[in-house]
Amino acid sequence: MRKAEWVVLGTVAGLVTGCAGSPPAKQRPAGDSKPKASQKQKVKRELPEGMHKLGEGVTTEEGTWRLTPSALTQVTPTSRAKGVPRGWRAAKMTWTLTNKTGEIQQLLDLSPTVRYGTMGKPAAEFTDTGIEGIPDAISDDPPRVKPGGAYTLTVGVAVPADAAGEPVTLTTQPMTMFGATGDVDFFEGPFPGAAARKDSVLHPRPAPDTRKTLAFGQWKADPQMTVDHVWQEGAVTDGRATFSGELTLRNDALAADLPYTPMKKTLRVYYGDALKEADLSPSGAVAADTGFIAPQRAATHTFRFSLPKGATADSVTVEVTDLGSAEATFEGEFADKVS
């Protein structure tokens, strides 16, 4: 919205009011002009256009439902908690799904993705006493909601101990028995336990396009991506060394209505100067089906691979492809552990 422009116009008649010889009436300087309340400038958005704060509601699925996910509240897991990694912080949030139609509706399956921090690492979802998680809405006997009624569920979210105050980004995409729909919504709010971090937005500096092979930690300009580091997971088992690495992609769109950047990249990993191909684990070979990336936000995928029995190497090369076409190549030495 453009700022209103205020112009103070003085007239000769306005300057000669009062008794003769008396000073002219004191006027408010132009800089002191106060706009009417209805004309005040709107408050600057803290999130990119199309994103919502946790606690705000959105209408989705062609107006059928209204979804309102609450802000996160810190909790202490009980002995019955399932899915909380050791040493991680836990919180819960309430989702309210309101049926906006005049007929009974099967509960909407939202297929959520939850990430935390500037690099968009996956948060853990957990269940516990009073934190039942998301029910199976695509089943033979799904939950149903009457016209105008609301369904409330509680979701558990866990992050590493040092992530208190970091942003948690929630992405929802309605799913039906026929597949995903087109409505994708993004929510964000701080993880409780510390003051919200103001330096939570990632601003990478892409390497020059002349760099055909990038070092670990450098950013590709288009699409924006990086492989930060690769490390050995543990001791060699049956003669095979296993490793992990992190691929981070960033959506540089300014608003949510611009094309999304889904995590659908395929990886090829090579080791040594001879570029021998490593063995990718099935769960870490493809960074697909991990949800869309919010505007001006990043998402990190962990990939895993192993070297053949007896093979050794000091360096590793990671090639990122999209539909078989190479988009970026990164190389570097193995790290001792996650940095």
Side-chain angles (χ1 to χ4, degrees):
M1 174 179 180
R2 296 182 59 188
K3 294 183 179 178
E5 296 180 357
W6 299 92
V7 181
V8 179
L9 299 177
T11 65
V12 174
L15 295 176
V16 296
T17 57
C19 299
S22 62
K26 190 174 182 179
Q27 294 187 346
R28 183 185 303 276
D32 288 346
S33 299
K34 294 183 178 180
K36 296 180 180 179
S38 61
Q39 295 173 312
K40 287 183 179 179
Q41 184 178 358
K42 289 184 178 179
V43 177
K44 184 179 180 180
R45 288 187 60 88
E46 297 180 10
L47 298 174
E49 183 180 350
M51 289 187 69
H52 310 276
K53 290 183 179 180
L54 289 176
E56 295 181 352
V58 298
T59 301
T60 188
E61 193 58 7
E62 298 181 351
T64 302
W65 293 92
R66 184 165 183 82
L67 166 66
T68 306
S70 73
L72 289 157
T73 303
Q74 191 167 1
V75 297
T76 300
T78 71
S79 58
R80 296 186 176 183
K82 297 180 179 178
V84 182
R86 183 182 297 275
W88 283 33
R89 292 176 178 263
K92 67 178 181 178
M93 61 193 308
T94 300
W95 293 13
T96 302
L97 279 159
T98 304
N99 179 2
K100 303 290 290 181
T101 72
E103 57 184 331
I104 295 174
Q105 292 288 338
Q106 177 178 320
L107 184 66
L108 191 64
D109 186 333
L110 288 169
S111 186
T113 300
V114 186
R115 303 186 180 99
Y116 72 91
T118 57
M119 300 296 278
K121 295 188 177 183
E125 296 180 42
F126 71 93
T127 58
D128 200 351
T129 303
I131 305 177
E132 68 277 10
I134 301 173
D136 185 5
I138 304 178
S139 64
D140 294 334
D141 188 21
R144 296 178 178 85
V145 184
K146 64 182 179 181
Y151 189 99
T152 300
L153 54 92
T154 305
V155 179
V157 177
V159 300
D162 61 354
E166 289 196 356
V168 173
T169 306
L170 168 68
T171 304
T172 61
Q173 182 181 27
M175 300 287 292
T176 69
M177 64 180 64
F178 304 106
T181 68
D183 288 343
V184 179
D185 291 303
F186 304 105
F187 303 86
E188 191 169 276
F191 195 90
R197 301 186 186 180
K198 298 183 181 301
D199 56 347
S200 59
V201 179
L202 183 65
H203 297 288
R205 295 182 178 179
D209 290 338
T210 54
R211 291 293 304 270
K212 301 303 181 184
T213 300
L214 305 178
F216 288 165
Q218 289 187 314
W219 281 82
K220 172 77 173 177
D222 185 21
Q224 291 188 358
M225 67 173 75
T226 187
V227 172
D228 194 26
H229 49 256
V230 175
W231 67 95
Q232 186 168 344
E233 285 190 336
V236 176
T237 303
D238 296 330
R240 297 176 65 90
T242 57
F243 301 85
S244 291
E246 290 181 336
L247 166 68
T248 301
L249 291 95
R250 180 177 179 272
N251 182 2
D252 61 356
L254 299 176
D257 59 354
L258 296 176
Y260 303 123
T261 303
M263 289 277 282
K264 291 187 177 179
K265 308 296 180 185
T266 303
L267 304 177
R268 300 189 185 104
V269 179
Y270 306 89
Y271 62 95
D273 295 335
L275 296 180
K276 299 289 186 180
E277 190 164 4
D279 298 322
L280 283 163
S281 66
S283 61
V286 180
D289 300 327
T290 53
F292 292 95
I293 306 174
Q296 300 294 299
R297 297 297 184 265
T300 294
H301 169 77
T302 299
F303 58 92
R304 297 176 176 85
F305 63 95
S306 62
L307 303 186
K309 185 176 181 178
T312 60
D314 295 325
S315 63
V316 60
T317 302
V318 180
E319 185 180 55
V320 184
T321 69
D322 186 357
L323 298 178
S325 298
E327 286 192 327
T329 303
F330 301 88
E331 67 176 3
E333 297 180 351
F334 292 105
D336 294 333
K337 59 181 180 180
V338 180
S339 59

